[in-house]
Amino acid sequence: MDIVILLGAPGSGKGTIAARLASEDSRLRHVSSGDLLRGAVAKGTPAGVEAKGYMEKGALVPDALVAQMIKDVLAETEGDVTMLLDGFPRNVAQAEILERTGAPVRSVVLVDVPDEVIAERIAGRRTCPQCKAGYHVKALPPKVEGVCDKCGAALVVRKDDNPETVKDRLVVYHRETEPLVAFYEAKGLLRRIDGDQGPERNAAAFKSVM
Ligand code: ADP
C-alpha cells in the first residue's frame, strides 16, 4: 500500500480527479476526508455530532477527530493498492500525524486553480448524497438534470457550498493548507498540475505525474 496526496483548494477538482481515476483502476482507492465526515454526520456517530458545526461554518474539524478516521481506513487497507488521499492532511499538524503512522507517501500533487475560477465552480456544483458522485451544472452536467447518472438519486447542493461559507473555506485553505506545499516540496514529494483543463485532461495530467 502507498499513498498519493491530493492538495488543492475547495473546488479545485481533486475529488473529481480521484473518483475518476479510482473508477478506471481497481488498484486505486479514493479516500475523501470530507465524504468520511459527511457520512459520520449523516449517521449521527459521536464524531459526526462533533464535526457538524465546524463543517457548516467552513472551519476545519479538530485534527484528532479527522486523523482517527483516516487511521482507521489505513488500518483496514491491505494489499497492492494506492490510496488517493483527498482532503487530508489539511494542515501541517495533520501531515505530521500522517508521517508518524509510517504510511508511505509516494507523491503529493497540487491541483492548481485560481481563486476566481473556484467561486464559479462551487456555485454550479451538485453532489449525489447517496453515491457521492460530483457534477457541475455547466462543466460536468448529469444526463438528466438533477439526477445522478450512476445511482438515480436526486442531486443536492452541499450545505457548505453557499457563497459566504465558500469565502471562509478559501481563507482557511490559504492560511492552513497552503503551507503544505512548502512542507512537501522540502521533502521532494511535490508535483503540480494545472487544474483548469477540464475534468478529463485534469485526470490525465494527474495520472502522468502521480
Ligand atoms: P472541499 O475540499 O470542497 O472543501 P471537503 O469535502 O474536502 O470539501 O471538506 C468539507 C469540510 O469537511 C471542510 O470544510 C472541513 O470542515 C471538513 N474537513 C474535511 N477534511 C478535513 C481535514 N483534513 N481536517 C479538518 N477538517 C476537514
Side-chain angles (χ1 to χ4, degrees), residues 9-11 14 32-35 37-38 54-55 58-63 66 86-90 94 125 158 160 169:
K14 28 184 220 318
S32 156
S33 56
D35 285 347
L37 286 164
R38 280 184 289 276
Y54 297 96
M55 295 175 75
L60 296 188
V61 309
D63 295 334
V66 61
D86 162 18
F88 183 93
R90 228 181 182 88
Q94 292 179 11
R125 181 146 86 171
R158 255 168 54 183
D160 60 348
R169 283 158 62 203

Side-chain angles (χ1 to χ4, degrees), residues 36-37 39-51 69:
L36 291 172
L37 286 164
V41 171
K43 279 199 208 123
T45 67
V49 170
E50 193 184 343
M69 289 183 152

